[in-house]
Amino acid sequence: MKIFPSVLGALALCIPFIVPAGAHPHNHGNAPVMTAPKLIQLDAEEVMSFDNGGATYSLWNTHQRGLFGLELIEIRGESGAAVAGWWSSRGWCFTAKAYAANACWSSARMAGFAGAKLVNASYSRSPSTRAGGSATGASTDFCDHYSALEAKISEDTSGRCGY
């Protein structure tokens, strides 16, 4: 049993030497130079729409990345304004393609999940205290719950909330 940590340690020490020669900065041959992959910012996409309490809502994946790579998922009302949202580590499940293929959940289960998120929405329970607002009413404004720190960490340059 004590040999397993030793084998893992030896493997970890060998990994830097497994890199192909093409990655060396002084490579004079025709081998391709390895570069870091470039991240492409995806546009927000509507995943599905559902009815809840007599109103029609839509579930959106904003494809905005937050802390630890979490993706911002939103529920938007008929006017297009965000009424609920959360950060998900399973952002790939909240895409139109995954929804159509029932890759993570069935259509009925996804609608039930979104409905439960809408009922428990922190957007409508938290009072607005941002920028000197009063704590008398519940806020449904997305920007009241999206801090400047979250915008900076997720590299959000949309200017949507003035950050």
Side-chain angles (χ1 to χ4, degrees):
M1 235 15 199
K2 291 185 178 187
I3 195 162
F4 186 68
S6 299
V7 171
L8 283 178
L11 181 62
L13 289 174
C14 292
I15 287 177
F17 300 107
I18 298 174
V19 176
H24 194 276
H26 301 292
N27 181 20
H28 298 289
N30 292 330
V33 176
M34 293 174 54
T35 60
K38 295 181 180 171
L39 297 177
I40 299 171
Q41 177 63 42
L42 300 173
D43 293 330
E45 69 175 303
E46 183 177 0
V47 178
M48 62 173 278
S49 61
F50 63 98
D51 294 324
N52 188 303
T56 301
Y57 298 94
S58 57
L59 181 70
W60 284 76
N61 186 335
T62 65
H63 292 293
Q64 292 181 13
R65 296 279 179 170
L67 194 59
F68 305 116
L70 301 177
E71 281 190 76
L72 179 61
I73 312 301
E74 289 182 338
I75 296 175
R76 297 180 183 176
E78 292 174 346
S79 67
V83 295
W86 66 95
W87 295 96
S88 175
S89 61
R90 299 180 68 183
W92 67 89
C93 286
F94 298 99
T95 61
K97 195 174 202 176
Y99 174 73
N102 291 325
C104 297
W105 303 289
S106 68
S107 299
R109 187 164 177 213
M110 178 78 95
F113 178 80
K117 286 291 190 180
L118 184 61
V119 169
N120 296 322
S122 62
Y123 282 44
S124 60
R125 285 190 306 185
S126 300
S128 173
T129 56
R130 184 172 154 261
S134 68
T136 58
S139 170
T140 58
D141 182 52
F142 170 77
C143 294
D144 285 341
H145 306 280
Y146 185 56
S147 70
L149 178 61
E150 287 175 306
K152 183 169 180 78
I153 290 173
S154 64
E155 298 178 357
D156 180 5
T157 57
S158 68
R160 180 174 176 186
C161 297
Y163 308 131

